[in-house]
Amino acid sequence: MSNLLNPKLRRDESRLYNSKLKTIFISTGEVSGDLQGSLLIEGLKRAAVAAGIDLEIVALGGDRMEAAGATMLGNTSAIGSLGLVESLPFVLPTLQLQRRAKQYLKSNPPDLVVLIDYAGPNLSLGHYIHKQLPKVPLVYYISPQVWVWWPFARDIKRIVEMTDLLLAIFPEEERYFKAKGANVTLVGHPLVDRMKTAPSREQARVKLGIEDSQMAIALLPASRPQELKYLMPAMFEAAKAIQNKLPDVHFWIPLSLEAYRLQIEQAIKDYGLHATLVTDKTKEVLAAADLAIAKSGTVNLELALLNVPQVVIYRVSPITYWLARILRFSISFMSPPNLVVMRQIVPELLQEQATPENIAQESLELLLNSEKRQQNLADYQEMQSLLGEAGVCDRAASAILALL
């Protein structure tokens, strides 16, 4: 990755020769944030060309954002977590990257900052920018889902105060932050753009070598390390029960991070699953599936946009769950498809409900009960109508560049 302490081009010198050069700093984390960041960078580059702006993008993110053209200050795609206890191993590396980012921003103030999700680190970084660099416009694109579950009004107020523009991806998110006094624009969900290039079911099955009559189930256990610990055992135990009931079924598992390969391969052997672990073919696996059993996250929307029925599971450590109850964390729904319509259209099994027995039962219902399956697909159509038209990333990019 590029070392920003020794940049290829000193910005102060370059501006002497190029008055149109603008720098945007983007901060995000985890695998999903890296994906959303890369899509936004592509949109920003298109918009910059159309506006005649020479654009430099510096970022905290991952490999996808670097491939899209950002100069990386640090890689945050593998240091994300859900849960209070689960986040402890990532505190030190996160603080180190935060310190590096703040040092860089102080020495090289950008023309604009974009924060993408990544609640704790980005709230800290945004607060720093708001106080130390008050003239730098700050955009929050894909805000943390504090509007769903966060009990601390102080942090919600901080988002409103530090943000010059909040680009909402959910209708309920737009309504919530407008009521709090934020400057909000609803742009729609960027996955609408991404899934336009997804293969059809038939195309995906040809590419993966799946017969049309073969029942295929996608298993999506983890994009964070603790999900392997808390979700994968229950998910794979449920898969084993489904396999006992439907011996011809085959499971497909897209690999989110290479670091998880050995652990997942060993689990496939331990549970005796008829399964294939796939690299770099996530969209094909999702599109080809008759059903998915998935962790809660961005992938739930991808499945819904592909009209694939799914069962969503979510677990954290018992200590984190206990603390959340003590602190009165409360959520209406966990999975994005349910959050879009603010009612349950896909089954959610949270914490003690996410047992192998319940996962298997919900999965078999969606596979074998045609009425329930058709209702799920009809609900997907309602959800899709609320996500906005294609061109989400271009709309977001245009709104961001307008602040320059």
Side-chain angles (χ1 to χ4, degrees):
M1 290 208 170
S2 304
N3 184 351
L4 294 183
L5 300 181
N6 297 289
K8 297 177 182 177
L9 183 66
R10 292 177 58 193
R11 187 178 305 120
D12 289 345
E13 291 182 1
S14 68
R15 281 199 168 121
L16 292 175
Y17 303 99
N18 184 0
S19 62
K20 292 183 178 180
L21 177 64
K22 300 293 183 182
T23 302
I24 294 178
F25 176 80
I26 300 177
S27 173
T28 188
E30 306 181 321
V31 174
S32 61
D34 184 35
L35 169 62
Q36 309 298 4
S38 69
L39 296 174
L40 179 62
I41 289 168
E42 291 168 359
L44 286 168
K45 286 184 173 293
R46 289 191 296 269
V49 169
I53 296 173
D54 291 334
L55 190 61
E56 178 187 22
I57 296 175
V58 179
L60 290 174
D63 294 341
R64 289 177 181 270
M65 291 172 67
E66 186 173 30
T71 302
M72 304 307 295
L73 181 58
N75 194 317
T76 57
S77 61
I79 59 173
S81 64
L82 276 178
L84 301 173
V85 175
E86 292 82 353
S87 67
L88 293 178
F90 305 104
V91 170
L92 183 57
T94 298
L95 289 175
Q96 290 171 336
L97 282 178
Q98 288 273 301
R99 189 182 307 115
R100 190 189 308 173
K102 290 173 183 177
Q103 288 173 348
Y104 174 80
L105 291 168
K106 185 177 181 180
S107 302
N108 305 274
D111 294 291
L112 185 140
V113 171
V114 179
L115 306 179
I116 302 176
D117 200 0
Y118 206 35
N122 271 347
L123 285 177
S124 172
L125 192 59
H127 181 68
Y128 174 85
I129 293 164
H130 181 61
K131 295 297 183 182
Q132 301 299 321
L133 302 168
K135 294 183 179 180
V136 176
L138 192 150
V139 178
Y140 222 129
Y141 173 56
I142 310 180
S143 73
Q145 291 182 353
V146 294
W147 52 280
V148 179
W149 52 268
W150 196 247
F152 305 125
R154 183 188 66 177
D155 287 333
I156 296 169
K157 182 180 179 182
R158 179 181 290 182
I159 290 175
V160 173
E161 289 178 345
M162 73 186 189
T163 302
D164 294 282
L165 175 64
L166 193 148
L167 298 175
I169 61 173
F170 296 120
E172 189 63 27
E173 176 191 12
E174 178 195 29
R175 286 191 288 270
Y176 179 89
F177 279 108
K178 274 190 175 178
K180 297 294 182 181
N183 178 27
V184 187
T185 297
L186 178 64
V187 293
H189 203 288
L191 286 184
V192 173
D193 292 351
R194 173 172 161 78
M195 301 318 289
K196 287 290 184 183
T197 62
S200 66
R201 182 179 188 273
E202 293 73 21
Q203 291 169 334
R205 286 186 163 234
V206 168
K207 193 164 185 178
L208 294 172
I210 304 174
E211 296 291 335
D212 187 59
S213 59
Q214 171 75 57
M215 183 173 288
I217 297 179
L219 300 180
L220 302 140
S223 63
R224 304 177 179 94
Q226 77 271 16
E227 290 170 336
L228 291 175
K229 178 179 180 180
Y230 295 117
L231 297 182
M232 189 166 67
M235 182 183 291
F236 280 26
E237 186 69 36
K240 179 65 175 176
I242 294 169
Q243 185 173 285
N244 291 337
K245 179 87 172 179
L246 305 170
D248 294 332
V249 73
H250 193 87
F251 299 98
W252 293 82
I253 308 170
L255 186 64
S256 59
L257 287 173
E258 185 62 33
Y260 303 159
R261 178 181 296 277
L262 292 179
Q263 196 170 346
I264 295 175
E265 287 178 342
Q266 187 59 51
I268 290 171
K269 293 178 183 177
D270 291 344
Y271 287 94
L273 298 182
H274 304 150
T276 301
L277 185 61
V278 179
T279 305
D280 297 329
K281 289 187 175 66
T282 298
K283 284 198 283 190
E284 286 79 8
V285 170
L286 302 185
D290 296 294
L291 173 81
I293 305 173
K295 72 180 196 69
S296 176
T298 301
V299 72
N300 306 143
L301 273 183
E302 292 181 281
L303 290 162
L305 287 166
L306 290 168
N307 293 312
V308 175
Q310 62 185 298
V311 176
V312 179
I313 66 175
Y314 175 78
R315 272 183 172 180
V316 292
S317 74
I319 296 175
T320 293
Y321 186 64
W322 176 78
L323 286 172
R325 297 186 70 172
I326 292 295
L327 295 172
R328 297 185 180 181
F329 281 77
S330 175
I331 58 173
S332 304
F333 302 104
M334 177 57 66
S335 64
N338 293 341
L339 288 172
V340 174
V341 297
M342 292 306 290
R343 63 184 178 86
Q344 183 162 303
I345 63 173
V346 300
E348 289 185 357
L349 299 173
L350 310 183
Q351 205 62 18
E352 69 273 5
Q353 296 177 337
T355 63
E357 295 77 16
N358 288 344
I359 298 168
Q361 181 180 343
E362 292 285 357
S363 299
L364 289 168
E365 275 283 301
L366 284 171
L367 282 170
L368 305 176
N369 185 329
S370 60
E371 184 176 339
K372 188 166 185 177
R373 188 178 182 89
Q374 288 304 313
Q375 181 60 55
N376 179 236
L377 296 176
D379 289 335
Y380 278 169
Q381 298 303 308
E382 177 188 353
M383 183 216 75
Q384 291 168 14
S385 70
L386 296 173
L387 288 180
E389 300 294 327
V392 173
C393 295
D394 289 328
R395 290 194 292 274
S398 295
I400 290 168
L401 291 190
L403 287 180
L404 291 175

